[in-house]
Amino acid sequence: MTIPPPVSPMLAIQGALRTLLADDAELQDLGVTVYDYLPEATAYPFIVIGEATEVPANAHDRFGWETVPALHVWDQYRGFKRVLQIGGRLTALLDHQPLTVPGYAHVVTRFEYGQPLTDPEPPGNIRHLVQRYRVITAQPV
């Protein structure tokens, strides 16, 4: 069997995340919009699918990857309540749940970490939650 050269799944994972999150009724009920870029006029709350890291996770018979995208939740709600609600929903949708990544075999997605932040710029009313998820994929068998 000839194994084709490896191709990074980053773009396919970004698309899979955007589709999953944008189609989720609970996030829609919270008024959340999902972006992979940020238009100039954007209503809060919103999620930006941000930067990612990737390392090989090859097996003896096929290529594999561990991709760690960052999801950024932004809001102007007073306090952290709503960004943490949105973050909880992200974890419910992703942690140890199936993810359809076109062209790849999805092995598992695991919550890696989350960090709530306050934007230090005056007036300091923007809340930001960064969450990372480790998405492990492989070439399909």
Side-chain angles (χ1 to χ4, degrees), residues 23-63:
D23 291 347
D24 183 66
E26 286 188 41
L27 289 175
Q28 290 174 5
D29 287 347
L30 289 168
V32 176
T33 308
V34 181
Y35 299 99
D36 63 356
Y37 72 98
L38 197 55
E40 284 191 36
T42 305
Y44 291 93
F46 59 88
I47 297 169
V48 176
I49 301 169
E51 60 285 337
T53 61
E54 187 170 84
V55 296
N58 300 327
H60 56 72
D61 63 341
R62 60 184 170 158
F63 293 103

Side-chain angles (χ1 to χ4, degrees), residues 91-99 106 108-111 133:
T91 299
L93 288 169
L94 294 168
D95 190 35
H96 289 86
Q97 298 300 315
L99 182 65
H106 176 254
V108 69
T109 299
R110 295 186 188 114
F111 174 75
Y133 296 85

Side-chain angles (χ1 to χ4, degrees), residues 31-128:
V32 176
T33 308
V34 181
Y35 299 99
D36 63 356
Y37 72 98
L38 197 55
E40 284 191 36
T42 305
Y44 291 93
F46 59 88
I47 297 169
V48 176
I49 301 169
E51 60 285 337
T53 61
E54 187 170 84
V55 296
N58 300 327
H60 56 72
D61 63 341
R62 60 184 170 158
F63 293 103
W65 300 266
E66 291 189 16
T67 307
V68 184
L71 300 177
H72 298 269
V73 180
W74 296 90
D75 200 3
Q76 284 185 317
Y77 187 86
R78 288 185 166 183
F80 286 103
K81 179 181 179 180
R82 194 158 65 181
V83 293
L84 293 175
Q85 285 177 317
I86 295 167
R89 182 63 186 154
L90 295 178
T91 299
L93 288 169
L94 294 168
D95 190 35
H96 289 86
Q97 298 300 315
L99 182 65
T100 301
V101 181
Y104 298 88
H106 176 254
V107 178
V108 69
T109 299
R110 295 186 188 114
F111 174 75
E112 193 159 283
Y113 85 87
Q115 180 180 10
L117 303 161
T118 300
D119 188 335
E121 294 296 317
N125 65 340
I126 297 176
R127 301 297 184 253
H128 179 197

